[in-house]
């Protein structure tokens, strides 16, 4: 179907507005003048205006993922923000599971959408909310919250560019929250440093005040006659200890008997030094009070000597300094507590809270100079970038708690494998880094990697269930000198990519060839992104399909091609695996589907009525809530449309959401086909679960069907199963007349392959088949 006049310009105009808005929001963020809450208010108001939504809010996820708190809710009709609302995962478990797992939730009808229907009674109807567009707020550490865009009394079908805009503003909010968290940590450190400084100052002032008080206070005075041994104690001495004497004691024993047993030896030692060396007498010790308590005393004294320097008298003062000592002890304890708090905050800022390993920030602080000091001249530093192979499956099947358990197990393995001077870090998600002391030949890194791969090749038991993980490792060696850490990590990342491409559960050592490949890969990704943005570079080619026996035109399969500006027309094998890494296959599917249907509509106007159009659909596209809306827009062409479910590994364990999408598509009239049937992934259960219109036998089974009796029997069995389930059979890869004849005799309904026709451009297809209402291959050969 041709796009209605004016639709494409409107889309482009909307995208331009979105891009301009994002630029403005980024400038506000980078100015650093707004807190994360203020920034959330700016973003929600802007999103409400651009998406024409009456309500737009930003919610912060609690650390335990059990609740979300409303940071800012913008109400367009009142032009105001409110906050303070809270939603609990216990009340809305389905929604929490959905938004924690999905990047974007586009609920055109929020009451019926299984991800948002829990809100119907308590939230949607109360606020007249019809449609919701929610995007997960993420940071390097995982989900941080969610952005919610809601329409009131109006049903919206969210377009892909609107969903992309929602995801972009959510990403901005995640970055803003991360920056404020970092600022909060550094602010805590500054507060602790200030408290330490204040405590030291208080101690100094307290000591100064005491010195001044000694000079002015009414202390106990004592005067010892060194010749007779008689001592004069002023009344204040007795009052300090709660005593009252009608005849004050004049013996030295009165004082000595009251000194704490643990202090007496030290006090007398000071006394002897005073007499012998004329050292200043200034000693603090404990004295027993009349009530049985111990009071801190400070005694000061001075020797009075004769003309021959013999000691005659010793005079001095006694002061009760209990309050001062207790205050000083309290301040010292507070200082110790502040130092411990500072150390804890610094540790939290540099370590992963889940595994206790250093985090990316700490790793970046490990400088080349420090590493070099730990390494000898005959050693080097190796960077190992470690990535778990099937970690997402653990989260999907067993939940995030099980995933956390696996991460902690892996962290323990890395600790056990590491040695003195090594550095292990978790840098995000299921990624770890090991910096090892190594020989120039990377012997230790290889041994380390082999041991870790062996350990993780064995099943891991989590919550009484056995799970298989596996690990891929990229190794970069400093080759005798310690390079910049970021360069080494980049090289290790390139080696990790190679290990993943080699089949996973292995390791690769970085070399110059990988650098070149990485540069090419980056360039290709940039070109793919540019091709997606220009909207014209990914085009459909069409391979005809024919009825077995009559060889009349039965339809065509739309196959993606990349119209590269320098390399010409590229087949999917040259770029689709890279697009999968970029997570943009769904967008390629969307563009190919839209263009294919527009071309088929043009053919019909030119006189060529195509019986059926088959289009490949990835699991990403099936999970896209916008798919149903786009198909509804194709109107009368839907009855001639067939979706090939190409990712058959996904079909035997299809999620409820995808099952619902498939059922709704079939209700609209879209036919379903299972591609690559018999390749070892799809099963009979797939046929039962999905109830397709037809299945396509994989080309690997067709290649020997006319020469191998066992293969002939196998294909015949597939045809018989399809007949029992009332499913049509397409055989692809028909290359020769003998294969065509055998497949026809076996009972295949439709044939496709180079022996009949190759994929061709839209223009060539129309030229070949547009002059006849039904085309026969026999008449073309």
């Amino acid at each position: 179907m041709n796009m209605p006049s004016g639709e494409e310009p409107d889309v482009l105009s909307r995208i331009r507005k979105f891009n301009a808005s994002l630029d403005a929001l980024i400038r506000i963020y980078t100015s650093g003048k707004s807190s994360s809450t203020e920034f959330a208010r700016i973003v929600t108001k802007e999103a409400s205006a651009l998406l024409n939504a009456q309500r737009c809010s930003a919610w912060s996820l609690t650390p335990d993922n059990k609740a979300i708190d409303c940071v800012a809710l913008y109400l367009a009709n009142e032009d105001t923000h409110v906050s303070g609302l809270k939603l609990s995962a216990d009340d809305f478990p389905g929604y929490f599971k959905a938004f924690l797992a999905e990047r974007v939730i586009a609920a055109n009808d929020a009451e019926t959408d299984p991800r948002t229907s829990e809100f119907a009674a308590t939230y949607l109807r109360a606020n007249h909310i019809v449609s919701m567009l929610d995007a997960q707020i993420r940071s390097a550490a995982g989900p941080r919250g969610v952005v919610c865009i809601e329409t009131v009394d109006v049903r919206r079908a969210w377009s892909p560019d609107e969903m992309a805009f929602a995801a972009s503003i959510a990403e901005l909010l995640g970055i803003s929250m991360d920056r404020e968290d970092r600022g909060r940590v550094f602010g805590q450190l500054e507060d602790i440093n200030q408290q330490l400084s204040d405590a030291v100052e208080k101690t100094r002032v307290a000591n100064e005040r005491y010195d001044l008080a000694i000079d002015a206070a009414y202390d106990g005075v004592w005067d010892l006659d060194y010749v007779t041994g008689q001592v004069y104690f002023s009344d204040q001495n007795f009052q300090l200890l709660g005593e009252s004497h009608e005849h004050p004691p004049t013996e030295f024993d009165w004082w000595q008997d009251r000194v704490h047993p643990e202090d007496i030896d030290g006090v007398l030692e000071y006394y002897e030094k005073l007499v012998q060396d004329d050292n200043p007498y200034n000693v603090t010790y404990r004295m027993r009070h009349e009530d049985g308590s111990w009071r801190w005393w400070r005694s000061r004294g001075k020797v009075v000597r004769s003309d021959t320097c013999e000691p005659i008298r010793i005079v001095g003062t006694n002061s009760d300094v209990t309050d001062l000592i207790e205050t000083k002890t309290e301040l010292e304890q507070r200082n110790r507590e502040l130092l411990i708090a500072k150390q804890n905050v610094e540790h939290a800022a540099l370590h992963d809270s889940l595994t206790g390993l250093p985090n990316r920030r700490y790793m970046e602080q490990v400088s080349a100079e420090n590493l070099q000091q730990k390494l000898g001249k005959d050693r080097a530093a190796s960077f190992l970038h470690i990535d778990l192979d099937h970690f997402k499956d653990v989260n999907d099947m067993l939940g995030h708690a099980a995933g956390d358990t696996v991460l902690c197990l892996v962290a323990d393995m890395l600790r056990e494998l590491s040695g003195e001077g090594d550095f292990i870090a978790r840098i995000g998600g299921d990624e770890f880094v090991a910096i090892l002391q190594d020989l120039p030949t990377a012997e230790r890194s290889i041994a380390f990697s082999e041991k870790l791969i062996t350990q993780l090749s064995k099943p891991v038991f989590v919550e009484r269930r056995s799970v298989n993980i596996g690990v891929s490792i990229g190794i970069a060696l400093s080759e005798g000198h310690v390079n910049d850490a970021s360069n080494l990590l980049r090289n290790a990342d390139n080696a990790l990519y190679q290990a993943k491409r080699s089949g996973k559960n292995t390791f690769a050592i970085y070399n110059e060839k990988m650098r070149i490949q990485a540069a090419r890969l980056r360039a290709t990704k940039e070109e793919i992104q540019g091709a997606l943005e220009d909207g014209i570079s990914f085009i459909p080619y069409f391979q005809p399909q024919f009825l077995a026996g009559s060889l009349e035109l039965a339809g065509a399969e739309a196959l993606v091609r990349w119209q590269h500006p320098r390399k010409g027309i590229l087949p999917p094998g040259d770029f689709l695996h890279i697009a999968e890494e970029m997570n943009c296959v769904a967008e390629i599917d969307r563009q190919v589907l839209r263009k294919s249907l527009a071309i088929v509509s043009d053919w019909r106007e030119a006189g060529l009525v195509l019986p059926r159009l088959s289009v490949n659909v990835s699991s990403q596209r099936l999970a896209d809530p916008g798919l149903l809306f786009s198909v509804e827009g194709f109107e009368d062409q839907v009855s001639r449309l067939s979706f090939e479910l190409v990712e058959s590994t996904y079909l035997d364990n299809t999620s409820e959401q995808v099952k619902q999408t498939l059922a709704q598509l079939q209700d609209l009239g879209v036919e379903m086909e299972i591609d690559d049937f018999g390749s070892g992934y799809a099963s009979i259960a797939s046929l039962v679960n999905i109830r397709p219109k037809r299945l396509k036998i994989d080309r690997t089974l067709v290649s020997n069907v006319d020469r191998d009796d066992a293969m002939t029997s196998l294909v015949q069995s597939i045809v018989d199963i399809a007949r029992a389930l009332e499913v049509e059979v397409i055989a692809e890869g028909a290359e020769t007349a003998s294969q065509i004849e055998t497949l026809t005799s076996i009972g295949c309904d439709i044939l496709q392959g180079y022996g009949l026709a190759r994929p061709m451009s839209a223009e060539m297809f129309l030229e070949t088949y547009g002059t006849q209402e039904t085309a026969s291959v026999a008449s073309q050969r």
Side-chain angles (χ1 to χ4, degrees), residues 35-71:
S35 67
S36 63
T37 300
E38 293 168 341
F39 187 66
R41 291 180 177 180
I42 295 171
V43 169
T44 50
K45 183 173 182 179
E46 178 72 0
S48 173
L50 283 183
L51 294 173
N52 194 24
Q54 290 74 32
R55 299 166 61 92
C56 183
S57 55
W59 301 73
S60 175
L61 183 65
T62 57
D64 59 1
N65 288 8
K66 295 296 185 182
I68 51 177
D69 295 309
C70 182
V71 178

Side-chain angles (χ1 to χ4, degrees), residues 623-650:
D624 180 5
L627 176 61
L628 283 172
F629 171 69
S630 62
V631 169
E632 289 174 347
F634 298 140
E635 299 175 352
D636 59 331
Q637 295 192 79
V638 172
S639 62
R640 300 176 184 271
L641 182 61
S642 181
F643 279 172
E644 289 193 13
L645 309 179
V646 296
E647 297 190 9
S648 49
T649 54
Y650 195 62

Side-chain angles (χ1 to χ4, degrees), residues 158-328:
W158 305 104
S159 63
D161 53 296
E162 290 173 327
M163 288 186 276
F165 177 70
S168 296
I169 62 173
E171 184 174 352
L172 273 177
L173 287 172
I175 294 171
S176 174
M177 290 178 178
D178 274 356
R179 180 174 68 181
E180 188 156 284
D181 284 351
R182 291 193 297 272
R184 189 177 298 112
V185 168
F186 293 132
Q188 287 177 312
L189 288 173
E190 290 176 1
D191 288 343
I192 290 175
N193 285 330
Q194 184 60 49
Q195 290 180 55
L196 281 170
S197 177
D198 291 344
V200 171
E201 179 64 13
K202 287 179 180 178
T203 302
R204 185 188 66 80
V205 171
N207 285 329
E208 289 178 354
R209 287 176 177 171
Y210 169 74
D211 291 336
L212 293 171
I214 286 296
D215 295 335
Y218 184 64
D219 296 333
V221 177
W222 53 275
D223 187 344
L224 170 63
D225 187 325
Y226 196 73
V227 177
T228 64
Q230 294 294 303
V231 185
Y232 164 76
F233 294 105
S234 69
D235 288 343
Q236 184 66 15
N237 287 287
F238 309 124
Q239 293 177 17
L240 290 175
L241 295 178
E243 298 181 11
S244 176
H245 297 277
E246 182 177 352
H247 301 289
T250 59
E251 300 297 327
F252 192 73
D253 290 346
W254 173 85
W255 168 83
Q256 186 170 335
D257 289 344
R258 284 158 179 75
V259 179
H260 196 287
E262 295 177 1
D263 299 341
I264 187 63
D265 291 341
V267 172
L268 293 178
E269 182 181 349
Y270 271 100
Y271 174 77
E272 293 298 331
K273 289 182 179 180
L274 167 68
V275 175
Q276 293 174 10
D277 304 329
D278 208 18
N279 288 333
Y281 188 69
N282 187 342
V283 61
T284 303
Y285 54 95
R286 287 166 289 180
M287 290 284 283
R288 187 181 67 250
H289 195 275
E290 185 69 15
D291 63 8
S293 64
W294 293 97
R295 305 293 294 177
W296 283 98
W297 271 29
R298 177 171 293 176
S299 294
R300 293 180 176 183
K302 181 179 181 181
V303 178
V304 179
R305 296 182 183 275
S306 66
D307 294 340
T308 59
C309 293
E310 294 297 323
I312 301 173
R313 293 168 54 224
I314 304 174
V315 296
T317 60
N318 292 322
S319 305
D320 187 322
V321 294
T322 303
D323 291 344
L324 175 66
I325 294 298
E326 290 178 349
T327 300
K328 181 180 179 181

Side-chain angles (χ1 to χ4, degrees), residues 490-506:
R490 187 181 304 111
N491 294 344
D493 185 60
N494 291 334
L496 174 63
Y497 178 79
Q498 182 62 41
K500 290 283 190 182
R501 292 197 64 184
S502 299
K504 300 183 179 180
N505 207 36
T506 186

